[in-house]
Amino acid sequence: MSRTLEPVRRPGRLGRRVAARRSPDLVPGRAPAPPSSPRLVLTVTSAGSLPLMRGFPQHLQRAGWDVHVVTGPGPDLDALGDVVGGVHAVPMRRDPSPLEDARALAAWVRLLRRLRPDAVLAATPKAALLGLVAARLTGVPVRVYHLWGLRLETTTGLLRRVLTLTERATARAATRVLSVSPSLSAEFAGAGLAGRRPVDLIGRGSSSGVDTQHFDPSLVRLSEVRQAARAARLEPDRFVVGYVGRITPDKGLGTLDEAMRILAEDGVRACLLVVGEEDVAGYDPFTVHHVHRAGRVADPRPYYRLMDVLCLPTLREGMPNVCLEAAAMEIPVVTTTATGAVDSIADGETGLLVPPGDAAELARALRALHHDTALARRMGAAGRRWARTHFSRPELWAGHDQYLRRQLPKEGNDR
């Protein structure tokens, strides 16, 4: 069952009052939250995932929550120390590891006993499993599994069985499941992973929306675009197909490589601009000529400006942020009908959808935008309007705030 919850624009009244408590490992000098603030724990497995929710913890802190962020150690976690109620490093391994997982679970239980939060919002598989099981063991009343994706979709054999069991265990430990896209909600519920729990959705989905004030093509200076072109050694007078993201098999990059080969054979003067870094050691799917690698960049906006089209040939997603960013930057998007990706564009309006793994169809979609520049411009302009209408961060964040508050026990009730 999938339930859609529309964003609420105005923040409501605070939930029940809780005593203000401070963990001894908080960053010194931070002002404590007001005594009336409900305490919320946000968690993802790796600190490297925190940029995906940039600004969200701070928004909830300003909205009246006492926010504590828990991830593995890293500079992205440390950077939050002065703007939220607390940051806590719990090392968590992404892959199954019984001994390390047991140690992490024990650390989680100790942490939650000390913090005594009113709610836990947990994303990414390992952090969600450990954080929500620990939250259930310690009596946290509101335990929300923030479903960002379904890793098991692209696995087989024993690993798939293990991941299926862990997804079911995570949902069982949660009081609610909150998905980031309609198709992911349907996939999770349809596979029987949610049990009897509803799979909720706020608006059109997304983990954190897109900052359309930041991702605005008018704010990127021409000098920045030229500098990015030089850094990537981009060739002039070529149709630029862009990819932004991790270099990993789940992104379908082998299909993109084959589609670029087909374009070259058809006489299309195209090149591939790759923005991102290797996620799987030794994995390099690109064999065609005219591949330009920018690596990981601090600001992708000048690189978006270099692209004629963004291509995400993915095999699975939750809700791909890069598609929303490209749309906000007025770049047409070609992606697949895979879970999550299918919800990230308006097919025929802001971009084109193709079946995952189909290089011929992918090449056909890219060729269509190469041949019809007017269509590409219309899709780019429509993409920005669409991103601003459906994925505005202020509205989405307010929706999350209200969603969490609705789950809190009534004032005066015991846990």
Side-chain angles (χ1 to χ4, degrees):
M1 176 170 61
S2 176
R3 180 177 303 170
T4 300
L5 303 174
E6 293 298 328
V8 180
R9 294 174 182 269
R10 289 186 292 179
R13 301 175 65 86
L14 291 174
R16 64 188 182 90
R17 297 171 65 89
V18 296
R21 298 170 292 269
R22 288 180 56 81
S23 174
D25 56 350
L26 298 188
V27 174
R30 186 185 304 109
S36 60
S37 296
R39 177 164 288 176
L40 171 67
V41 167
L42 297 178
T43 181
V44 290
T45 304
S46 167
S49 296
L50 288 174
L52 297 175
M53 53 196 297
R54 182 176 287 117
F56 182 51
Q58 297 94 312
H59 170 86
L60 293 176
Q61 183 79 19
R62 291 192 300 269
W65 293 88
D66 179 20
V67 177
H68 290 248
V69 178
V70 182
T71 75
D76 290 303
L77 176 63
D78 299 337
L80 286 172
D82 293 325
V83 292
V84 296
V87 296
H88 313 268
V90 175
M92 293 173 277
R93 291 188 59 172
R94 185 169 181 258
D95 294 321
S97 176
L99 181 59
E100 294 299 324
D101 292 347
R103 290 172 177 166
L105 179 60
W108 261 106
V109 169
R110 291 193 298 270
L111 176 64
L112 294 183
R113 282 176 176 167
R114 186 166 73 244
L115 292 180
R116 298 185 63 226
D118 300 276
V120 172
L121 179 65
T124 67
K126 185 58 69 71
L129 174 64
L130 297 175
L132 293 174
V133 168
R136 185 175 182 178
L137 291 174
T138 55
V140 178
V142 179
R143 307 182 299 273
V144 180
Y145 180 17
H146 203 186
L147 182 62
W148 281 10
L150 201 52
R151 186 183 173 199
L152 65 85
E153 283 193 276
T154 52
T155 61
T156 58
L158 178 60
L159 179 58
R160 185 180 181 91
R161 291 196 292 273
V162 169
L163 293 176
T164 298
L165 290 173
T166 58
E167 288 290 346
R168 287 176 175 160
T170 303
R172 191 175 294 116
T175 54
R176 310 287 297 197
V177 178
L178 177 62
S179 173
V180 296
S181 69
S183 59
L184 181 59
S185 299
E187 183 70 23
F188 194 79
L193 301 174
R196 297 182 179 180
R197 286 163 177 73
V199 182
D200 300 326
L201 184 70
I202 297 175
R204 294 286 186 98
S206 176
S207 60
S208 195
V210 60
D211 185 351
T212 56
Q213 294 184 339
H214 177 74
F215 287 97
D216 182 342
S218 68
L219 299 181
V220 183
R221 297 189 298 270
L222 184 58
S223 60
E224 295 174 303
V225 178
R226 289 172 175 164
Q227 182 178 357
R230 289 193 299 271
R233 299 183 179 179
L234 205 63
E235 304 165 77
D237 302 322
R238 284 190 178 271
F239 180 69
V240 181
V241 178
Y243 170 80
V244 179
R246 296 178 293 118
I247 313 301
T248 180
D250 281 358
K251 299 298 183 181
L253 297 178
T255 304
L256 177 55
D257 183 64
E258 181 59 27
M260 295 299 294
R261 187 178 302 280
I262 293 172
L263 291 180
E265 292 172 354
D266 291 345
V268 176
R269 285 180 50 82
C271 67
L272 181 59
L273 174 59
V274 180
V275 181
E277 61 185 2
E278 183 183 271
D279 188 56
V280 177
Y283 175 68
D284 186 356
F286 303 117
T287 63
V288 294
H289 299 297
H290 309 295
V291 176
H292 304 271
R293 305 169 192 255
R296 184 176 183 179
V297 300
D299 185 0
R301 293 178 301 170
Y303 294 88
Y304 281 125
R305 286 289 307 274
L306 291 170
M307 298 174 189
D308 294 296
V309 58
L310 175 84
C311 183
L312 180 66
T314 186
L315 305 180
R316 68 169 183 90
E317 293 289 333
M319 170 65 81
N321 290 320
V322 294
C323 294
L324 306 183
E325 292 173 359
M329 292 294 293
E330 299 185 357
I331 306 299
V333 176
V334 174
T335 189
T336 70
T337 55
T339 303
V342 69
D343 305 307
S344 67
I345 70 167
D347 189 28
E349 297 179 22
T350 69
L352 298 171
L353 291 173
V354 301
D358 192 329
E361 284 298 315
L362 183 58
R364 187 173 293 115
L366 295 172
R367 191 187 303 112
L369 293 173
H370 171 265
H371 290 341
D372 193 341
T373 56
L375 173 64
R377 285 195 298 270
R378 288 197 301 272
M379 285 184 168
R384 179 160 179 80
R385 293 192 297 270
W386 188 74
R388 294 179 68 181
T389 300
H390 299 297
F391 298 100
S392 167
R393 277 188 169 176
E395 292 187 7
L396 186 66
W397 288 349
H400 280 79
D401 175 27
Q402 291 298 324
Y403 174 84
L404 290 168
R405 290 180 188 280
R406 284 194 293 268
Q407 313 309 319
L408 291 173
K410 300 296 182 183
E411 185 171 358
N413 287 355
D414 293 334
R415 292 186 180 180

